[in-house]
């Protein structure tokens, strides 16, 4: 069984990576194409959007940090490439690392936030490192992932992004995500909807409302888990999905973009936390707002926590499932857990 599980993991991952990038639309990466990016007028005019200044700043910072990523992307695989410029530093293992651009982006975003909002708290991936993640209080708090999908970024694969989330009263309230190589800016504000490049995302209606597991695109990430038992658990969950029957599976390498893609219906469900591949607050925060505001169901994978949905989701949880409707979430949870938990 162990050999079968491992073989499944390798096969599914290979197919997923190959398929994911053949469908990416090549878009212009010049700075001029970014001029149309900004906060939608509907949000600026909204009487219920209580973070307009923060939102305008978050968009500005995400776009600038995204620009900082393009030099490496555009030089990858050419005579201009210099991998030593990335200054890769590992964290827990060789699969978990940060680049100099991660650090530069976080330092830039943090310093600019504190200039305008000196009383706000900030939780950043790189400043936290492998240490204890600071607790989320009722103070205004920013949660930052300066590059989500660092492995994709370092490898020159285009699915990575800058993620900036903002919390009020201990709950996610606003999310801004910019993917520079696909030229997409996602914005979500609690109670005010979610947008991609200024166009509002559809809520749970039509095809999204009727999706079932058998005709779904299911996403998962294997993360940094390398222990034999953990690998078997993750691979066996994939086996259950394939045996149940799904349209296809994907592993994209960016948890934040996973949530954004479920939000806009490019994928139908994403899960994490079968083993030691669970996510962190900076993987959840911004994407959660975008997903929930597009009508998605986001909750915990493990049954004991399923009552914590949407904005009550625990950002410090190691397990998650998010889908375009509640039915597909329940079906996927039952299928992947099987007899594991």
């Amino acid at each position: 069984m162990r050999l079968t599980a491992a073989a499944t993991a390798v096969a599914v991952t290979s197919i997923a990576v190959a398929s994911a990038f053949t469908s990416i639309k090549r878009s212009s990466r010049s700075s001029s194409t970014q001029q149309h990016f900004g906060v939608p007028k509907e949000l600026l005019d909204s009487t219920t959007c209580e973070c307009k200044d923060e939102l305008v700043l978050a968009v500005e910072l995400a776009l600038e940090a995204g620009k900082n990523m393009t030099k490496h992307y555009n030089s990858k695989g050419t005579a201009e490439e210099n991998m030593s410029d990335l200054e890769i530093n590992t964290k827990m293992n060789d699969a978990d690392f940060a680049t100099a651009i991660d650090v530069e982006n976080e330092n830039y975003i943090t310093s600019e936030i504190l200039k305008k909002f000196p009383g706000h708290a900030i939780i950043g991936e790189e400043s936290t490192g492998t240490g204890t993640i600071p607790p989320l209080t009722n103070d205004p708090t920013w949660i930052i992932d300066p590059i989500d999908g660092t492995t994709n970024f370092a490898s020159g694969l285009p699915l990575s992004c800058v993620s900036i989330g903002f919390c009020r009263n201990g709950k996610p309230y606003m999310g801004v995500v910019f993917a520079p190589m696909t030229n997409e800016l996602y914005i979500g504000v609690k109670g005010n909807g979610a947008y991609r490049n200024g166009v509002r995302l559809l809520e749970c209606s039509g095809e999204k409302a009727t999706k079932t597991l058998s005709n779904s695109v299911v996403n998962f990430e294997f993360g940094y888990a390398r222990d034999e038992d953990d690998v078997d658990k993750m691979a066996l969950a994939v086996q259950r999905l394939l045996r149940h029957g799904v349209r296809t599976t994907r592993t994209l390498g960016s948890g934040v973009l996973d949530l954004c893609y479920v939000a806009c219906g490019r994928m139908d469900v994403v899960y994490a936390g079968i083993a030691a591949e669970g996510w962190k607050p900076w993987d959840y925060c911004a994407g959660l707002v975008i997903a929930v505001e597009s009508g998605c169901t986001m909750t915990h994978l493990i049954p004991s926590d399923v009552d914590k949905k949407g904005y009550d989701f625990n950002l410090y949880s190691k397990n998650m499932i998010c889908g375009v409707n509640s039915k597909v979430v329940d079906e996927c949870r039952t299928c992947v857990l099987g007899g594991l938990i």
Side-chain angles (χ1 to χ4, degrees):
M1 180 61 72
R2 291 183 185 275
L3 290 175
T4 302
T8 299
V10 171
V12 171
T13 301
S14 298
I15 293 170
V17 171
S19 300
F21 298 117
T22 58
S23 62
I24 291 177
K25 180 180 179 181
R26 302 291 182 181
S27 57
S28 172
R29 294 162 191 146
S30 67
S31 59
S32 61
T33 63
Q34 297 184 5
Q35 292 177 1
H36 73 281
F37 289 144
V39 179
K41 185 175 185 297
E42 296 93 326
L43 295 178
L44 293 176
D45 292 342
S46 171
T47 59
T48 60
C49 178
E50 300 181 19
C51 63
K52 292 177 185 177
D53 290 341
E54 290 88 345
L55 180 55
V56 170
L57 178 62
V59 169
E60 175 187 323
L61 298 181
L63 293 175
E64 286 300 316
K67 288 181 185 178
N68 195 38
M69 299 163 62
T70 57
K71 179 181 178 181
H72 169 68
Y73 265 132
N74 291 336
S75 67
K76 181 65 179 178
T78 73
E80 296 180 354
E81 179 185 358
N82 185 354
M83 285 297 290
S84 63
D85 288 345
L86 289 182
E87 300 176 22
I88 292 175
N89 293 302
T90 58
K91 298 178 184 179
M92 295 188 302
N93 55 43
D94 287 341
D96 183 13
F97 62 88
T99 71
I101 308 301
D102 289 82
V103 176
E104 286 177 11
N105 277 1
E106 184 165 317
N107 287 343
Y108 165 71
I109 293 169
T110 298
S111 64
E112 293 301 311
I113 289 172
L114 292 178
K115 284 179 185 177
K116 190 160 187 179
F117 303 104
H120 287 192
I122 298 175
I123 298 173
E125 179 178 14
E126 304 314 326
S127 58
T128 299
T130 57
T132 301
I133 302 173
L136 180 60
T137 69
N138 287 330
D139 295 332
T141 302
W142 301 73
I143 300 183
I144 301 165
D145 194 337
I147 301 179
D148 186 63
T150 297
T151 300
N152 284 349
F153 169 68
S155 301
L157 299 172
L159 294 186
S160 65
C161 63
V162 180
S163 177
I164 302 176
F166 180 67
C167 298
R168 299 176 73 245
N169 301 316
K171 304 286 185 182
Y173 188 81
M174 175 264 287
V176 172
V177 174
F178 180 54
M181 298 310 286
T182 57
N183 220 29
E184 292 182 327
L185 175 68
Y186 293 87
I187 295 173
V189 176
K190 184 178 180 180
N192 286 271
Y195 297 78
R196 183 182 67 215
N197 291 354
V199 180
R200 187 155 182 166
L201 297 180
L202 294 174
E203 296 190 18
C204 188
S205 60
E207 186 182 16
K208 289 174 73 173
T210 60
K211 275 286 181 179
T212 61
L213 186 59
S214 62
N215 66 353
S216 287
V217 177
V218 181
N219 178 257
F220 50 84
E221 303 292 346
F222 286 140
Y224 310 127
R226 297 295 183 267
D227 176 86
E228 185 175 8
D229 287 340
D230 288 341
V231 170
D232 281 347
K233 287 179 181 179
M234 293 187 295
L236 286 169
V238 177
Q239 284 188 1
R240 290 187 182 93
L241 284 171
L242 297 178
R243 288 170 178 164
H244 174 280
V246 295
R247 176 159 292 170
T248 190
T249 61
R250 290 292 181 264
T251 301
L252 304 186
S254 168
V256 175
L257 287 181
D258 292 344
L259 292 173
C260 290
Y261 288 176
V262 171
C264 63
R266 290 175 176 169
M267 300 188 298
D268 302 303
V269 60
V270 56
Y271 70 86
I274 287 290
E277 87 287 16
W279 297 359
K280 303 288 179 61
W282 41 81
D283 300 312
Y284 294 130
C285 188
L288 179 152
V289 178
I290 294 162
V292 171
E293 288 301 311
S294 67
C296 295
T297 297
M298 182 159 173
T299 183
H300 298 279
L301 181 67
I302 307 305
S304 60
D305 293 328
V306 296
D307 59 322
K308 298 175 181 177
K309 299 179 180 180
Y311 290 109
D312 290 326
F313 179 89
N314 178 10
L315 295 179
Y316 290 76
S317 174
K318 296 296 185 182
N319 66 86
M320 174 278 305
I321 185 166
C322 179
V324 292
N325 63 58
S326 60
K327 181 177 180 179
V328 76
V329 165
D330 291 340
E331 281 190 282
C332 186
R333 177 192 290 114
T334 299
C335 183
V336 299
L337 290 184
L340 285 177
I341 298 175

